[in-house]
Amino acid sequence: MELLHSSVIFNEYYEAYEYGKKAGEGVALGAAGTLLLNLQYYHFQGIAVAQLCRQTTNPLLMEKYRSELTACLEKLKGWHELNPSNFEEWYNLVLAKEAILNEEFTKASELYFKTLQKARSTGRKMLEARTNEYLAEFYAIWDYRFSTAHLKEACV
């Protein structure tokens, strides 16, 4: 599980995906134990498959990754609906990645800023940094210079 997490942090999405497949076998069998590990698995695997979907030109792989993204979002949505105060941000970050795939850029931006605002108001620095990194990546799609501001903010 930790290798999945680390690979996503270092933007090594194919490696993350492969580690996620291995971790997913255990999660499916209930080996993860706590809800937090399950939550992290579906969050980071969702991020990895969304990024891989953006990077591939192979329609079969794209369909496979989209299907896996949908499965991750369904799991995260269930937890979000049960307890939004704990799970909304995890869900929103993966949902934003899906919005980018669907070219719903306003929706993605709104989800990122909602998550950023919540992270700041609750003092969750790692979530704030990760969200700023995703925002920098998001704005870099169009070569916006201010994407570097979010990247700098992620490092603070």
Side-chain angles (χ1 to χ4, degrees), residues 5 32-33 56 58 74 86 90 93-94 115 117 124 131 137 140 142-143 147:
H5 180 200
T56 189
N58 181 325
E74 286 175 6
N86 285 333
W90 296 86
L93 289 176
V94 180
T115 301
Q117 185 177 32
R124 296 190 307 191
T131 305
E137 191 177 81
W142 300 284
D143 273 339
S147 68

Side-chain angles (χ1 to χ4, degrees), residues 83-149:
N83 192 339
S85 62
N86 285 333
F87 303 117
E88 180 177 34
E89 294 79 31
W90 296 86
Y91 175 62
N92 282 350
L93 289 176
V94 180
L95 200 57
K97 294 289 187 182
E98 181 189 50
I100 293 168
L101 288 175
N102 295 333
E103 298 185 5
E104 298 171 328
F105 302 118
T106 302
K107 178 181 178 181
S109 180
E110 289 171 354
L111 289 164
Y112 283 140
F113 279 106
K114 182 177 182 181
T115 301
L116 187 59
Q117 185 177 32
K118 180 79 179 258
R120 285 182 176 163
S121 70
T122 58
R124 296 190 307 191
K125 296 296 183 188
M126 291 297 291
L127 179 63
E128 182 180 345
R130 195 70 184 147
T131 305
N132 270 309
E133 185 179 332
Y134 290 153
L135 272 164
E137 191 177 81
F138 173 67
Y139 288 123
I141 293 170
W142 300 284
D143 273 339
Y144 287 150
R145 287 183 298 167
F146 59 83
S147 68
T148 57

Side-chain angles (χ1 to χ4, degrees), residues 40-85:
Q40 287 180 340
Y41 166 75
Y42 288 106
H43 171 78
F44 289 115
Q45 189 69 354
I47 296 294
V49 294
Q51 290 297 107
L52 288 173
C53 195
R54 273 193 62 228
Q55 294 171 1
T56 189
T57 57
N58 181 325
L60 294 175
L61 281 177
M62 193 176 294
E63 184 179 326
K64 176 183 176 181
Y65 294 145
R66 276 216 181 247
S67 173
E68 292 182 33
L69 175 60
T70 299
C72 289
L73 279 167
E74 286 175 6
K75 199 64 136 168
L76 291 167
K77 182 180 181 180
W79 292 323
H80 161 66
E81 289 173 347
L82 289 172
N83 192 339
S85 62

